[in-house]
Amino acid sequence: MAEVTKGGQQATVAPAIELRGISKAFGPVQANKDISISVQPGTIHGIIGENGAGKSTLMSILYGFYKADEGQIFIHGKETQIPDSQAAIAAGIGMVFQHFKLVENFSVLENVILGVEDGAMLKPSLAKARKSLKSLAEEYELHVDPDMLIEDLGVGVQQRVEILKALYREADILILDEPTGVLTPAEADHLFRILNGLRDQGKTIILITHKLREIMEITDTVSVMRRGEMTATVKTKDTNPEHLAELMVGRKVLLRVDKVPAKPGKKVLEVENLRMVDDHGVERLKGISLNVRAGEILGIAGVSGNGQSQLLEVLGGYAKATGEIRVNDEPIDLTGKYSDGRSRRRRGIAHVPEDRQEHGLIMDFPAWQNVVFGYHHAPEYQKNKLLMDNAKILEVAQDKMDRFDVRPPNPLLEAKSFSGGNQQKIVVAREIERNPDLLLVGQPTRGVDIGAIEFIHKQIIALRDEGKAVLLVSVELEEILSLSDRIAVMFDGHIMGERLPDQTDERELGLMMAGVTQEGDAA
Amino acid sequence: MQKMPKWADVALIPLLNLLIAFVLSGLVILAIGENPIKALQTMITGALGSTYGWGYTLYYATNFIFTGLAVSIAFKAAMFNIGGEGQAMIGGLGVALVCLYIPFPHWSVALLFAMAGGAIFGAAWAFIPAYLQARRGSHVVITTIMFNFIAASLLNYVLVNVLRPQGEMNPQTAAFPEATHLPTLHEVLAPIGISFSKSAPVNVSLFVALAACVIVYLLMWRSRLGYEIRAFGLSQDASVYAGISPFKIIMVAMLLSGGLSGMMSINNTMGEAERLVLNSVEGAGFIGIAVALMGRNHPFGVLLAALLFGFLYQGGSELSLWTKIPRELVTVIQALVILFTGALDNMVRGPVERIFIRAAKRGAN
């Protein structure tokens, strides 16, 4: 294990948190291996690592969800046992989870006092909390209307409520798990201002993320985790993104995507005035019009939940809609009567779905059966009229897994036993290799490790260079900016406008993602 | 990461479950003052000690193979069809109508038609719950169990008021004509010089059941339809993404399931009773659930589990015949086996998994 350098430690001040030799195994999987880390009070400490590197496990140990097999926890220099989250709160630790833990139909105030009411009657607690929220709001720019119901608040504000909850419990160590995943760039900036304010007031903050940009922007110190081990702790100002990426992956990675300029051909996909109402009667697509040409990538940017998923579902053939979609000048059915995933594939539309575990793969099927999933009617996979040619499919799967560098390259393993990145490679191999005219890609690198991101991006670019049309939906602006030849921004079921990647930046796209209408764009 | 070897999953765990069930049953027998060793001996001699015993064991097993396969197919599509009992009853009606009203030249032709009759009637009985599930989302567990009661009442009405011959006191049909009588194992084996008990009811339906195991295996693991059924059962969202129609899969899986349950009646109605009697299914539809659970929803697992339950049924009735152990206690023993092999499976699985993981770790270090 790499040596831990304790950056900036002053001999007199005990670390806010010090972990010594923490290990945790789940069955045969060693999630944390002999981890030692010390976090200085009044700093923002980033923990970065790929998915499955053990970041969340470590924080869950700190918050009392798991018990470490070995190791000690020191809070402000004192050894502390944290058997449950009550003990963590008592030790001054507050946690903001990636998925908020709020009661949707309670008000902000009610959520804040939940579990820490002072007595049998609510009124005194509520009054106390109201006063305390007011002072917290002024101190840290954490403005929230205490009487609003959670369900009426945006995600950015909901996150503020989570932070308020922790502060109300007098946390002086705040752990945030992937806090910007659901935020627009502007909301993320706001969050960072809040975090900076908290640090200035002497709070200690641990920020878990896989986004290098955030680490560089806000942290004082950063620890890198890889495969359950803490590989390095460095001062942020002494490092750079390339170096961190290398530490995370264990080899040099290309962060920028290399590509030649697009040579757009004829229009492959044309969408006109597409409207879609979901099962709850909510209109999710409000008149979408766009087109994608052969040999180009159209990136759809937007905060998740603004209709991008529905657009992919309609195009992929499993949701009904009205309007018109033409592929290669031929209209495709939108009523759901004659349209399904199978008929879309016959029309040359391949689809890497947003959620590979829910949609893209049957997690309990072995890899080889997943390699034909959706294409299992193809004549080359049939032995005769009645039976499938399993031997042939197994062979095809082995070949694809070798060429797409799926690890381990064992087609008999169940899909669920592969890492996120390798699962995604299986899906990408399946969809790309059917030689589609149009490839729909949703969140191609969500939950995918950096090494695999590079590979998947290359595959998408290669398909474009072969003259295929690609529609890319991603909530990662960096990904949109580096892959797309054109960018359309979606907000609340509308296309807010289109931009060229070299004539725009994250700030402008971020404003459009937040629904700010620009001059010259029809909303 | 493999938690434990496959052989432990398919063989060791069921055997351990069975062992626990038998030990507990032994304690119960001990508690009522009987000798559990002697009881086990009685069961084994009674069920496996003679061709007569085997004849009954295999006869029951035949029933359970059909209903076990039926439950397992539906289960693969994530449909819990607990209407096997009713589907088998109505299947019996189909078999009876075919046998009573079509004049057959030979039993083999009769068997083919009776299979079709039983399967179509059984499938028809599964059709309404299947349709309600596929189109309206009415839960198939609720509807199939209600259809069991409807089937029982319907059969009661038909046997009392429609199909009962004049002068017959019991609610049953007339005896089926001679040409529809299926050869028993005795008649099948006699020409090749093997003597088998004359009075045991096991008949050629056993071979139909064995063939059904093979066909279901090919269907589920080698055909496109089976692939779609299994995919749908594991993830409906993913199946829709892949272009698999949920409506089609629910209907097909339930109709196949109902058809197999209905086909059971060639064994009990056509092969054994040679007339349709009230309550001819005798709970085999429900035993099918346990058989499918224990057989891990795999045709060959179902075959083995059906044999086990055949043994328990036959051994159990011998037990009440030759010892003072009351008939109800036999049901208790069967229930314990179902409890441990089906419902309490995880109780054994967890510790065994941990042992394997520990062993694997020690091996690795």
Side-chain angles (χ1 to χ4, degrees), chain A residues 17 37 39 43-47 59 62 173-177 204-208:
Chain A
I17 293 177
I37 179 179
V39 178
T43 62
I44 299 182
H45 193 114
I47 295 185
M59 291 308 118
L62 197 49
I173 299 165
L174 202 59
I175 304 169
L176 295 106
D177 189 4
T204 308
I205 291 159
I206 296 181
L207 179 72
I208 303 168

Side-chain angles (χ1 to χ4, degrees), chain A residues 32-94:
Chain A
N32 284 163
K33 258 180 274 185
D34 189 26
I35 287 185
S36 298
I37 179 179
S38 100
V39 178
Q40 298 308 310
T43 62
I44 299 182
H45 193 114
I47 295 185
I48 193 162
E50 298 187 276
N51 286 287
K55 304 177 302 245
S56 297
T57 306
L58 189 64
M59 291 308 118
S60 298
I61 289 170
L62 197 49
Y63 202 63
F65 282 168
Y66 299 136
K67 196 180 168 317
D69 300 337
E70 279 166 55
Q72 297 158 293
I73 301 172
F74 294 85
I75 308 285
H76 294 300
K78 217 175 81 198
E79 181 164 8
T80 312
Q81 300 293 329
I82 305 182
D84 52 35
S85 54
Q86 295 292 326
I89 292 167
I93 299 173

Side-chain angles (χ1 to χ4, degrees), chain A residues 27-28 318 341-342 345 351 358-359 362 365 369 372-373 376-377 382-383 386-388 390 417 430-431, chain B residues 1-2 218 221-224 227-228 230-232 234-235 237-244 248 357 361:
Chain A
Y318 49 104
R342 197 178 155 195
R345 283 179 184 81
H351 185 179
E358 285 291 317
H359 293 117
I362 301 282
F365 267 7
Q369 294 186 6
V372 295
F373 190 52
H376 51 281
H377 291 276
Q382 317 302 323
K383 189 184 242 165
L386 296 173
L387 302 181
M388 294 174 86
N390 286 354
S417 46
R430 179 182 76 208
E431 298 301 324
Chain B
M1 190 72 58
Q2 204 72 24
L218 290 175
W221 272 270
R222 304 294 296 281
S223 83
R224 218 161 43 229
Y227 177 85
E228 293 195 341
R230 287 183 295 125
F232 178 82
L234 290 169
S235 172
D237 288 341
S239 300
V240 171
Y241 152 81
I244 297 168
K248 177 185 138 192
I357 286 167
K361 254 194 197 166

Side-chain angles (χ1 to χ4, degrees), chain A residues 145-181:
Chain A
D145 180 350
D147 297 312
M148 290 279 277
L149 295 185
I150 296 296
E151 59 194 6
D152 298 330
L153 300 175
V155 277
V157 186
Q158 290 189 12
Q159 191 172 52
R160 266 173 249 163
V161 177
E162 284 284 16
I163 296 174
L164 282 170
K165 261 170 72 180
L167 294 177
Y168 184 72
R169 285 157 180 72
E170 288 168 0
D172 69 343
I173 299 165
L174 202 59
I175 304 169
L176 295 106
D177 189 4
E178 301 280 358
T180 58

Side-chain angles (χ1 to χ4, degrees), chain A residues 201-479:
Chain A
Q201 299 286 327
K203 306 270 183 198
T204 308
I205 291 159
I206 296 181
L207 179 72
I208 303 168
T209 182
H210 66 274
K211 293 182 186 166
L212 294 166
R213 193 178 64 87
E214 290 170 6
I215 289 286
M216 297 310 295
E217 201 172 313
I218 189 169
T219 63
D220 300 305
T221 317
V222 53
S223 296
V224 184
M225 287 188 76
R226 173 154 50 100
R227 292 191 193 143
E229 295 184 48
M230 193 68 83
T231 51
T233 297
V234 291
K235 281 194 157 189
T236 310
K237 63 174 161 44
D238 297 339
T239 186
N240 57 53
E242 283 74 22
H243 182 225
L244 284 178
E246 201 181 320
L247 286 171
M248 275 165 74
V249 184
R251 63 177 171 84
K252 280 211 179 301
V253 282
L254 197 63
L255 287 178
R256 228 168 6 89
V257 182
D258 269 337
K259 58 173 189 181
V260 295
K263 297 184 205 74
K266 66 178 182 64
K267 286 180 185 166
V268 174
L269 173 72
E270 291 167 275
V271 176
E272 264 169 46
N273 196 24
L274 192 68
R275 288 175 183 276
M276 183 244 188
V277 179
D278 71 9
D279 294 342
H280 305 288
V282 180
E283 191 171 37
R284 305 303 295 264
L285 298 179
K286 301 172 179 172
I288 299 283
S289 298
L290 53 83
N291 64 70
V292 189
R293 291 170 181 276
E296 77 165 353
I297 299 175
L298 175 69
I300 308 262
V303 180
S304 84
N306 277 291
Q308 305 97 308
S309 307
Q310 285 73 22
L311 178 63
L312 284 180
E313 282 171 19
V314 170
L315 288 169
Y318 49 104
K320 293 179 196 178
T322 59
E324 196 173 356
I325 300 179
R326 285 186 300 277
V327 174
N328 291 327
D329 297 328
E330 298 267 331
I332 61 176
D333 182 75
L334 297 177
T335 60
K337 219 172 188 177
Y338 305 102
S339 68
D340 55 33
R342 197 178 155 195
S343 66
R344 292 288 200 271
R345 283 179 184 81
R346 242 184 265 137
R347 295 289 300 273
I349 304 175
H351 185 179
V352 177
E354 289 187 299
D355 190 335
R356 64 182 157 272
Q357 305 198 338
E358 285 291 317
H359 293 117
L361 295 165
I362 301 282
M363 298 303 277
D364 290 313
F365 267 7
W368 67 276
Q369 294 186 6
N370 272 303
V371 160
V372 295
F373 190 52
Y375 300 98
H376 51 281
H377 291 276
E380 65 264 34
Y381 297 142
Q382 317 302 323
K383 189 184 242 165
N384 50 42
K385 272 213 164 82
L386 296 173
L387 302 181
M388 294 174 86
D389 192 346
N390 286 354
K392 171 84 183 293
I393 296 171
L394 196 59
E395 214 174 280
V396 170
Q398 183 70 64
D399 174 52
K400 276 188 206 277
M401 290 173 79
D402 288 341
R403 280 185 299 111
F404 277 73
D405 191 29
V406 178
R407 277 176 267 180
N410 178 0
L412 299 177
L413 281 185
E414 285 168 351
K416 65 181 173 198
S417 46
F418 291 91
S419 72
N422 285 301
Q423 288 172 359
Q424 189 72 326
K425 283 185 197 168
I426 295 175
V427 177
V428 169
R430 179 182 76 208
E431 298 301 324
I432 283 186
E433 299 235 318
R434 296 300 302 186
N435 198 22
D437 293 332
L438 169 66
L439 178 70
L440 310 171
V441 201
Q443 320 297 352
T445 54
R446 179 187 281 168
V448 168
D449 39 84
I450 288 195
I453 288 177
E454 196 185 349
F455 184 85
I456 289 166
H457 281 175
K458 272 188 192 157
Q459 296 295 328
I460 294 173
I461 299 279
L463 195 73
R464 175 199 80 156
D465 291 344
E466 278 173 39
K468 312 295 186 186
V470 178
L471 181 80
L472 165 75
V473 169
S474 176
V475 293
E476 304 283 351
L477 262 187
E478 267 181 77
E479 180 165 55

